[in-house]
Amino acid sequence: MDSSNLEDVPSPDGELTLKIAATPQDTNIYGDIAGGWLVSQMDLAAEISAGKLAKGRTATVAISEMDFLCPIRIGSTVMIHTEVKEVGHSSMNIRVEAWIQPPFESDEQEMYKVSEALFVMVAIDENGRIRAVPGS
């Protein structure tokens, strides 16, 4: 069989930066995991990724191109992957993807993409002022 005719199975881009369980305290009024909770986790992952690159504090200045593709159920394992797309003098563009493994899935390797966004981060100093990214 020619494997070039097979469709690619979607998988995360970038490195696994954060892995967390979705719990009942993270739900909205309908019992699904709240979108704001997911945005917060994605922002944390972007900050971790940018902080490594900036070798210190960073701040989020913009989030763009965010899509929500499916709800997250309680008990899902949420995995946040990050990929540095561009580095400027003081800013970094970080692509962030959120994937889940639902609870009690028959295939434990099965993952579903939930959201993605581009986070723009800036390096900041101890006074909260913008500073250069080392090596930029």
Side-chain angles (χ1 to χ4, degrees), residues 107-119:
D107 179 359
E108 292 182 10
Q109 300 305 310
E110 190 73 27
M111 295 172 47
Y112 301 94
K113 188 175 190 176
V114 174
S115 185
E116 67 177 289
L118 182 67
F119 284 71

Side-chain angles (χ1 to χ4, degrees), residues 5-86:
N5 291 333
L6 297 176
E7 286 188 32
D8 289 335
V9 175
S11 62
D13 289 327
E15 78 174 80
L16 178 62
T17 306
L18 186 63
K19 187 174 182 179
I20 189 166
T23 65
Q25 67 197 29
D26 306 318
T27 60
N28 61 23
I29 61 173
Y30 301 107
D32 293 320
I33 300 303
W37 177 85
L38 183 61
V39 172
S40 176
Q41 302 310 309
M42 292 172 73
D43 185 53
L44 179 59
E47 190 166 346
I48 290 168
S49 180
K52 287 179 186 176
L53 189 61
K55 299 189 182 350
R57 288 180 64 190
T58 63
T60 307
V61 294
I63 302 171
S64 63
E65 304 175 26
M66 180 164 273
D67 297 309
F68 292 95
L69 306 173
C70 67
I72 301 173
R73 294 192 328 237
I74 294 169
S76 294
T77 301
V78 180
M79 292 153 292
I80 312 291
H81 293 256
T82 58
E83 182 178 19
V84 176
K85 299 305 268 182
E86 185 178 349

Side-chain angles (χ1 to χ4, degrees), residues 79-96:
M79 292 153 292
I80 312 291
H81 293 256
T82 58
E83 182 178 19
V84 176
K85 299 305 268 182
E86 185 178 349
V87 179
H89 177 69
S90 59
S91 66
M92 297 149 280
N93 290 347
I94 313 287
R95 170 65 59 192
V96 181

